[in-house]
């Protein structure tokens, strides 16, 4: 399309700038969506790995509880239960009502599953099962007052 001297041309300049801007915008949003999706999949994989390790530790603890129950089935006295628990790698203490047995199952390098059982009158009961930190040297700074009254 030829333009005459002195006349303004409507040419393709404005349309070209608009098309470039639209392509640039769509490209930026595509890249942002891709980055967001990659971050989410990384988080999901990490959560799945943590859950898998926890359930493996829980399975190991349940197997250990089965071993303890089998070992305690023939023993009636508290001292025998304590020595059998210690022999199976647990910690145990006795009192007048029965024996408390605690076993630790590693989840990862920082956490463990602590399972506490109670042996009373020939019966083994689950008292608690919780995740505990293996870092004994962790100091929590609770000196900061967040709310002043």
């Amino acid at each position: 399309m030829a333009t005459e001297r002195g006349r303004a041309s409507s040419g393709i300049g404005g349309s070209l700038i608009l098309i470039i801007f639209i392509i640039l915008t769509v490209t930026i949003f595509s890249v942002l969506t891709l980055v967001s999706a990659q971050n989410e999949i990384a988080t999901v994989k990490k959560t799945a790995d943590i859950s898998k390790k926890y359930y493996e530790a829980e399975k190991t603890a349940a197997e250990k509880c089965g071993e303890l129950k089998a070992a305690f089935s023939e023993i009636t006295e508290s001292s025998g239960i304590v020595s059998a628990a210690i022999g199976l790698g647990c910690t145990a203490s006795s009192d007048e009502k029965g024996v408390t047995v605690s076993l630790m199952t590693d989840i990862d390098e920082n956490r463990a599953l602590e399972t506490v059982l109670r042996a009373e009158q020939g019966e083994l009961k689950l008292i608690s099962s919780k995740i505990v930190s293996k870092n004994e040297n962790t100091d929590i700074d609770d000196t900061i007052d967040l709310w002043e009254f």
Side-chain angles (χ1 to χ4, degrees), residues 17-98:
I17 291 174
L18 184 62
I19 290 174
I20 290 173
F21 179 72
I22 290 171
I23 291 173
L24 185 64
T25 304
V26 169
T27 304
I28 288 173
F29 281 125
S30 300
V31 169
L32 290 175
T33 303
L34 177 66
V35 169
S36 175
Q38 287 176 340
N39 287 338
E40 286 183 24
I41 193 72
T43 303
V44 167
K45 285 181 181 180
K46 185 175 180 181
T47 302
D49 186 46
I50 290 170
S51 296
K52 180 181 176 186
K53 288 179 181 179
Y54 171 77
Y55 286 119
E56 286 174 354
E58 193 173 61
K59 177 185 172 193
T60 304
E63 291 170 351
K64 192 72 155 180
C65 288
E67 291 175 16
L68 288 169
K69 187 174 184 177
F72 296 165
S73 64
E74 302 292 324
I75 305 170
T76 56
E77 59 190 40
S78 295
S79 61
I81 292 174
V82 169
S83 62
I86 292 172
L88 289 171
C90 303
T91 58
S93 63
S94 65
D95 56 15
E96 61 277 351
K97 293 182 181 178

Side-chain angles (χ1 to χ4, degrees), residues 88-141:
L88 289 171
C90 303
T91 58
S93 63
S94 65
D95 56 15
E96 61 277 351
K97 293 182 181 178
V99 178
T100 303
V101 179
S102 176
L103 63 107
M104 301 288 276
T105 308
D106 290 340
I107 296 175
D108 55 24
E109 60 274 354
N110 297 321
R111 299 175 306 139
L113 180 66
E114 179 185 36
T115 307
V116 179
L117 306 163
R118 183 86 176 154
E120 293 177 346
Q121 302 168 351
E123 199 173 304
L124 191 62
K125 297 179 184 178
L126 177 66
I127 302 298
S128 70
S129 182
K130 62 183 177 181
I131 298 173
V132 295
S133 174
K134 293 196 296 187
N135 300 329
E136 297 294 328
N137 298 331
T138 304
D139 294 327
I140 299 173
D141 183 15

